[in-house]
């Protein structure tokens, strides 16, 4: 299954034979504003099941950061409740920039489930095309997915620091946070020394859809990526960085990039860890 699916392709799957259908997960979430669950209750794609970022797609905030990886058993329980079955395709969507959907995509891949894709343009694109929406909450049959971590590479803090010097470590946050000009959430401002700024917003076109493979490949080449480059990614809390991993896969980079799941919210907690500021990697 390709990592990005169009609204037309998803509509065909949902209206086609049972063998072609897929589980649809609504993972809308906002740092500020109405909770995604409220938006889900108002309207969602037919058959979509709501899965919460904070309780299902992340562990409790703490020493591991604001959105650490969930415990495998917790993730498995939520995915089974949503009807996810082994070997059965899954499509995930959000209503913002695709980053939360990318986090769900990444977690499913990390869990060993390869048949998963992000809906291009998300809820906004589906609604704009006047495709069917509903407020009816489904009761899916219990899934049987077995979460087996290890399907995607993960970095610890020390490994991220080393990769910033020996390979290429991307910081997916907006430039002001990377440069240390502002830090509205975490304890310290700046970035991991050696990290290169690659804001995740650069993956999307003006219409909110993902850029095509050639555009993304050109973007990453300009940032120093080659087929032999070892690449890692972090962001504020490990969510938007997942979209960089996804974008690199769409661009055709061999092998998945590694995710520093704790990201800046983990790195900045330790005053002994070095911090760089300014526009350059440092």
């Amino acid at each position: 299954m390709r990592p990005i699916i169009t609204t037309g392709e998803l509509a065909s799957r949902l209206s086609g034979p049972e063998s072609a259908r897929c589980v649809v997960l609504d993972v809308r979430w906002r740092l500020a504003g109405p909770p995604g669950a409220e938006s889900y209750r108002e309207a969602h794609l037919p058959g979509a099941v709501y899965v919460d970022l904070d309780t299902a797609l992340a562990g409790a905030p703490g020493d591991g950061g604001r959105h650490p990886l969930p415990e495998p058993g917790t993730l498995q329980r939520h995915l089974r409740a949503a009807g996810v079955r082994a070997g059965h395709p899954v499509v995930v969507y959000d209503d913002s920039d695709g980053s939360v959907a990318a986090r769900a995509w990444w977690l499913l891949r990390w869990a060993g489930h390869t048949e998963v894709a992000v809906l291009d343009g998300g809820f906004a694109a589906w609604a704009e095309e006047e495709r069917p929406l509903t407020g009816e909450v489904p009761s899916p049959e219990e899934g049987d997915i077995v979460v087996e971590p290890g399907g995607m590479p993960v970095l610890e803090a020390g490994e991220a620091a080393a990769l910033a010097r020996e390979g290429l470590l991307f910081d997916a946050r907006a430039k002001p946070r990377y440069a240390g000009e502002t830090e509205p959430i975490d304890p310290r401002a700046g970035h991991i020394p050696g990290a290169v700024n690659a804001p995740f917003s650069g993956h999307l076109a003006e219409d909110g859809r993902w850029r095509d493979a050639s555009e993304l490949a050109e973007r990453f080449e300009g940032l120093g990526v080659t087929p032999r480059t070892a690449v890692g990614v972090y962001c504020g809390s490990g969510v938007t960085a997942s979209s960089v991993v996804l974008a690199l896969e769409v661009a055709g980079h061999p092998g998945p990039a590694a995710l520093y799941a704790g990201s800046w919210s983990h790195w900045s907690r330790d005053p002994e860890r070095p911090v760089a500021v300014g526009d350059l990697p440092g």
Side-chain angles (χ1 to χ4, degrees):
M1 193 173 193
R2 292 181 293 111
I4 302 291
I5 187 171
T6 68
T7 52
E9 290 170 332
L10 177 57
S12 295
R13 279 184 174 271
L14 295 180
S15 62
E18 184 66 30
S19 60
R21 295 184 186 178
C22 54
V23 172
V24 181
L25 304 182
D26 182 317
V27 295
R28 285 179 280 179
W29 178 89
R30 305 171 189 89
L31 184 60
E38 290 184 10
S39 298
Y40 172 79
R41 287 191 290 269
E42 291 174 3
H44 52 265
L45 274 62
V49 179
Y50 183 72
V51 178
D52 181 57
L53 170 65
D54 291 321
T55 57
L57 304 180
D63 290 341
R66 283 184 282 112
H67 288 115
L69 297 184
E71 290 296 325
T74 300
L75 179 62
Q76 178 173 291
R77 184 173 69 254
H78 283 280
L79 292 177
R80 286 188 173 189
V84 178
R85 306 194 302 276
H88 193 75
V90 177
V91 173
V92 293
Y93 71 86
D94 59 32
D95 64 352
S96 52
D97 48 37
S99 61
V100 182
R103 167 69 172 229
W105 169 87
W106 187 92
L107 276 174
L108 280 157
R109 291 282 299 272
W110 172 75
H113 193 87
T114 58
E115 293 296 299
V116 56
V118 169
L119 178 63
D120 197 10
F123 182 87
W126 185 273
E128 182 181 335
E129 295 168 6
E130 299 183 347
R131 297 186 184 275
L133 293 170
T134 181
E136 181 179 349
V137 177
S139 298
E141 181 180 345
E142 184 83 4
D144 63 2
I145 183 174
V146 176
V147 170
E148 298 179 334
M152 296 289 269
V154 177
L155 296 172
E156 298 298 333
E159 294 169 324
L163 188 59
R165 299 303 185 189
E166 301 165 4
L168 189 55
L169 181 67
F170 284 139
D171 183 317
R173 296 173 300 163
K175 188 174 181 179
R177 290 186 70 192
Y178 169 84
E181 296 169 5
T182 182
E183 181 46 66
I185 306 172
D186 294 313
R188 292 187 291 164
H191 59 267
I192 297 174
V196 173
N197 194 208
F200 74 95
S201 57
H203 307 145
L204 302 180
E206 291 183 2
D207 63 0
R209 288 174 168 81
W210 289 77
R211 297 188 185 279
D212 64 29
S214 61
E215 289 178 299
L216 290 172
E218 182 178 0
R219 167 178 164 78
F220 287 120
E221 183 179 355
L223 290 167
V225 176
T226 74
R228 296 182 179 179
T229 307
V231 182
V233 191
Y234 76 95
C235 57
S237 67
V239 176
T240 56
S242 302
S243 70
V244 183
V245 179
L246 173 57
L248 279 160
E249 181 160 317
V250 173
H253 185 66
L259 178 71
Y260 176 21
S263 286
W264 189 249
S265 65
H266 175 257
W267 182 276
S268 62
R269 283 174 175 267
D270 186 345
E272 298 298 319
R273 295 191 185 112
V275 171
V277 295
D279 295 344
L280 300 178

